[in-house]
Every structure is written in structure tokens, then in C-alpha cells.
Amino acid sequence: MSEIWLAILVIGIATYATRVAPLLWERWLPLAAARGGWLDRLGPCLIAAMAATVILPPFLTAEAALDILPELTGLAAVAAVMRLRADPGLATLGGMAAYYLAG
């Protein structure tokens, strides 16, 4: 077996294990009451952390106000679409389109 097929196999097994392990864990040890609300807030916190690492650097390295115009336009479009429709997918597409058109 070549190295690439071995890597694909290992990645596939790891991906499957991360999907199945929580289901099996919940069956053996119910955590719904014990987990409280922290696990429900984990997803949005991770998304916010990833967004901060992507959005913040252009603002810190900008030398002129016009350097961040595409970022500001994209952020404004995302905020507007989320306010109007509350659809993250549509907000992402709107933000990407606004970023592209402003840049």
C-alpha cells in the first residue's frame, strides 16, 4: 500500500471515529444534564475565534483607511443580511460578493 493510500485510510478512520465516538459515549454515559449550557455555546465561540483570526490581521496591518474598505464592506454586508434574513449561508455569500466588488 502506498503512502498516500495509507494517509487517506488513516484520515478516513479518524473522521469516522470523531463522528461515531460522541454517539457511543452518549449511549454509555448520558451527559445531557451534566454538560450544562457550555457545550451549546462552544460552536459559536469557535466560529467567532476563527473569524477574529481571519478578520483582525488586515485591520492591524492597514496603512491607510482605504486599505480596509473591502473588509468593512464585507462585514457590513454580512451584518445587513443577518439582520434581514438570519441566514448564515446567505450572509456569507453576501459578504463575499461585497468584498469582491469593493476590492
Side-chain angles (χ1 to χ4, degrees):
M1 185 181 294
S2 68
E3 291 179 14
I4 189 73
W5 286 111
L6 182 62
I8 291 172
L9 180 66
V10 169
I11 291 170
I13 291 170
T15 301
Y16 182 75
T18 59
R19 303 293 195 271
V20 170
L23 297 174
L24 296 176
W25 188 350
E26 184 71 27
R27 182 180 297 163
W28 291 321
L29 181 65
L31 292 175
R35 75 177 179 195
W38 69 270
L39 195 55
D40 296 333
R41 292 186 287 273
L42 183 62
C45 288
L46 292 174
I47 292 172
M50 288 187 292
T53 59
V54 170
I55 294 169
L56 195 57
F59 288 99
L60 295 176
T61 59
E63 294 180 9
L66 288 178
D67 291 345
I68 58 172
L69 182 64
E71 285 86 359
L72 288 175
T73 307
L75 286 172
V78 167
V81 172
M82 282 301 291
R83 180 83 171 141
L84 295 173
R85 294 286 308 260
D87 183 359
L90 189 59
T92 301
L93 292 175
M96 289 183 343
Y99 179 87
Y100 174 74
L101 292 173

